Amino acid sequence: MTASPATTASSRLFPPRLFPLFADLRGRRVLVVGAGSVAARKIRALLDTGAAIVVVAVAAGDEVLALAADGRIELALAAFDETQLDDAWFVVAATNDVVTNARIAAAAEARRVFANVVDDAALSTVQLPAVVNRGRLQVAISSAGAAPMLARHVRAQIETLLDESLGDLLELFERHRDAIRARWSDLPQRRRWFERVLTGVVPRLVRAKQHIAADIALQDALDNDAVEHQGSVVLVGAGPGDPGLLTLRALRALNEADVILHDHLVSADVLALARRDATFIDVGKQAGQHRVEQDGIHALMIEHAQRGARVVRLKGGDPFVFGRGGEELEALRAEGIRYEVVPGITAANACAAYAGIPLTHRDHAQSVRLVTAHCGKSADRLDWNGLAQDRQTLAFYMGVAGLERIRDRLVAHGRAASTPFAIVENGSRADQRVVTGTLAELPEIARDHAVRSPALLILGEVAALADELHWFGAPPLSGRCHDLPVPSLPLERAA
Ligand code: SAH
């Protein structure tokens, strides 16, 4: 027997794969048999398609009843019979009775109506994919029913990759569809134009919800052909170190970046997630070592953006909390460079969470203050009277060197010497340490444990909760070292 080229090709793909289709169901009758929670899930997937959904079931669950009451579906409380398939384009068998489901599949097959039988790939002539939706832009994933969990896993990965604004971008392109076709009748040329637009300013404007500006930029790109290729800067908060604390936006910006300017506070684990062929520039300062001055950072951002690069300015924590993000935006604005800001989890949030310290608490603290006191001059400008009030939590950034002054001023202004504190060193990282005690002994305890930067001081009644609520890394070290029953690792490290 000689095989035709077609059978040879398909036998290599055995078992055959499914053919992906996107069906236009507007106004078309879709029958769903069953009205429990599984059926409801399928019905939900069908609702936004404009299909005329008819549900047949002997009994219906609350969700299906509510949809019927709202007039969004038609519900018939009846047993399945074949005539219900008349005029149907598609049927979903979602009863909990395998015999009925098989009967539906057979009847559908006989009438050439596509059928999906829940949890039964063999009986189904169509399968419903796992879907990532961005408005009308959809990515559908199928494992041919062989491994739905794998499809779901892939779906989750794609969810993280695709920006939410893609649905809006689709609507924008549709509005200009005729003009685009008229301008570029030649397909390869049209394709190249799309490529340029998609890497230009338009998607960025849509992401920033500047819909009118995006419309104008697209119109410009059509009229002048030249797509604006000005670079841009995204100020991204990298969080405290644990890469799991990045936002999806941050991850996407790191994926797109041509140039990444990062601080020393940005962890290696976070940098490892960035686009491999991006240019990495370390502008961080490490005590005693050379660092790029703030003006130099501005110049670098501007230079790369003006050359058309997508620059990510990556900062520890949040860019707007003691991160000089404001100054950087001013510098960009002065040069007319587009920017976006992606917030990050600031050290106070992260350290508190990872040490089991709620920053506010009904019984102990009704407000939180983020404070920095890294040098004498800035400490003198602080409102120590206000900071010494009780029932508030203070989070001191960059405070390791000035702990004595913090203690003395707070106590002098009336904060109780018995107020608990916790110092969180390397918060959220593998080497996180938490040291606790009371304000009276703050500098001494920190010195005993050789606390080093980066460390955050949390002061207030809530700090005492770390002893009970800690969950991450080593348990808190409390008090002075001579109180400790056994000399511990930090002591060795201090030596
Ligand atoms: N923009 C950053 C803060 C920069 S100032 C943010 O929002 O977190 C630098 C100070 O932040 C450090 O001196 C330290 O006090 C604190 N800090 C940053 N990351 C930290 C971490 N992982 N653990 C403890 N403190 C941290």
Side-chain angles (χ1 to χ4, degrees):
M1 206 173 85
T2 55
S4 72
T7 50
T8 316
S10 67
S11 57
R12 254 188 268 127
L13 282 171
F14 190 84
R17 60 179 169 215
L18 300 177
F19 186 61
L21 286 173
F22 287 88
D24 182 353
L25 294 176
R26 271 173 304 177
R28 303 209 156 92
R29 182 182 167 95
V30 173
L31 182 70
V32 178
V33 189
S37 57
V38 178
R41 194 161 13 101
K42 305 280 170 174
I43 292 167
R44 249 181 276 137
L46 284 162
L47 278 177
D48 294 332
T49 63
I53 303 167
V54 179
V55 179
V56 171
V58 279
D62 289 343
E63 188 174 348
V64 172
L65 285 172
L67 287 169
D70 285 349
R72 302 191 65 190
I73 60 169
E74 197 184 309
L75 174 63
L77 290 174
F80 169 72
D81 93 64
E82 297 197 2
T83 60
Q84 291 153 357
L85 284 168
D86 289 346
D87 305 325
W89 289 70
F90 171 42
V91 59
V92 177
T95 77
N96 51 15
D97 172 22
V98 285
V99 179
T100 308
N101 284 351
R103 207 153 58 80
I104 298 165
E109 177 84 30
R111 287 163 188 253
R112 300 188 184 188
V113 173
F114 275 123
N116 175 257
V117 182
V118 293
D119 291 333
D120 197 329
L123 280 184
S124 298
T125 46
V126 288
Q127 291 177 14
L128 306 191
V131 180
V132 177
N133 280 316
R134 295 292 181 268
R136 284 190 296 152
L137 184 86
Q138 303 193 80
V139 181
I141 301 131
S142 158
S143 69
M149 288 300 170
L150 180 64
R152 241 167 271 167
H153 176 72
V154 172
R155 192 194 76 101
Q157 289 180 321
I158 294 177
E159 282 285 3
T160 62
L161 289 178
L162 301 185
D163 195 83
E164 280 67 29
S165 65
L166 281 170
D168 288 339
L169 193 61
L170 176 149
E171 302 302 329
L172 175 69
F173 282 130
E174 187 182 50
R175 277 201 298 285
H176 293 270
R177 189 165 181 225
D178 293 340
I180 295 169
R181 290 180 163 228
R183 175 70 182 80
W184 304 108
S185 51
D186 178 66
L187 197 59
Q189 281 187 337
R190 195 190 305 158
R191 210 174 280 144
R192 276 195 295 277
W193 179 84
F194 260 108
E195 279 305 314
R196 291 200 300 274
V197 171
L198 285 172
T199 53
V201 68
V202 172
R204 251 179 272 144
L205 289 169
V206 173
R207 207 159 52 203
K209 302 256 179 259
Q210 311 256 341
H211 292 303
I212 295 171
D215 219 273
I216 294 169
L218 187 73
Q219 194 60 56
D220 261 7
L222 267 176
D223 295 343
N224 310 324
D225 185 9
V227 173
E228 202 190 330
H229 254 289
Q230 195 200 42
S232 62
V233 176
V234 195
L235 212 60
V236 176
D242 179 347
L245 296 180
L246 277 178
T247 63
L248 289 177
R249 273 268 150 105
L251 190 63
R252 289 171 193 153
L254 287 174
N255 269 321
E256 278 185 11
D258 300 312
V259 177
I260 297 173
L261 306 176
H262 61 92
D263 287 348
H264 79 282
L265 269 180
V266 175
S267 72
D269 291 343
V270 167
L271 289 176
L273 294 175
R275 205 179 124 201
R276 286 291 140 88
D277 46 1
T279 306
F280 293 80
I281 304 174
D282 184 354
V283 294
K285 59 174 160 183
Q286 198 76 59
Q289 286 176 16
H290 172 77
R291 62 154 169 148
V292 182
E293 296 294 334
Q294 192 63 33
D295 286 347
I297 296 174
H298 296 175
L300 275 170
M301 288 193 300
I302 291 165
E303 178 193 324
H304 286 284
Q306 280 174 342
R307 278 203 221 132
R310 286 165 297 187
V311 179
V312 163
R313 171 72 178 108
L314 190 61
K315 290 166 169 294
D318 180 88
F320 281 0
V321 178
F322 308 128
R324 306 189 77 167
E327 290 159 61
E328 296 182 6
L329 291 197
E330 281 163 18
L332 294 171
R333 198 180 134 78
E335 294 294 326
I337 290 168
R338 283 181 207 290
Y339 54 77
E340 293 170 53
V341 184
V342 179
I345 295 189
T346 190
N349 277 135
C351 292
Y354 277 58
I357 301 170
L359 287 173
T360 66
H361 191 290
R362 283 167 75 96
D363 301 331
H364 309 303
Q366 280 70 44
S367 69
V368 189
R369 292 229 211 167
L370 308 186
V371 191
T372 180
H374 73 291
C375 65
K377 254 201 295 183
S378 65
D380 287 340
R381 287 200 297 264
L382 287 174
D383 163 25
W384 290 102
N385 261 328
L387 295 175
Q389 305 286 315
D390 58 5
R391 305 189 69 74
Q392 63 173 331
T393 305
L394 307 179
F396 282 95
Y397 289 65
M398 298 178 271
V400 182
L403 295 175
E404 196 147 349
R405 186 168 48 225
I406 290 172
R407 188 250 328 258
D408 293 349
R409 304 244 170 135
L410 284 175
V411 173
H413 286 82
R415 190 111 192 200
S418 59
T419 309
F421 77 81
I423 295 176
V424 185
E425 182 191 86
N426 288 311
S428 88
R429 301 177 183 215
D431 48 356
Q432 169 175 306
R433 282 201 304 162
V434 179
V435 176
T436 60
T438 57
L439 180 57
E441 293 187 309
L442 167 64
E444 292 79 16
I445 292 173
R447 207 176 307 128
D448 281 1
H449 291 279
V451 170
R452 284 190 226 302
S453 184
L456 185 96
L457 165 65
I458 300 174
L459 192 113
E461 278 62 32
V462 290
L465 294 170
D467 292 322
E468 278 169 50
L469 300 181
H470 78 86
W471 59 275
F472 181 82
L477 305 156
S478 58
R480 303 215 43 189
C481 283
H482 56 73
D483 297 339
L484 292 174
V486 193
S488 60
L489 177 69
L491 269 180
E492 290 161 23
R493 255 216 268 171

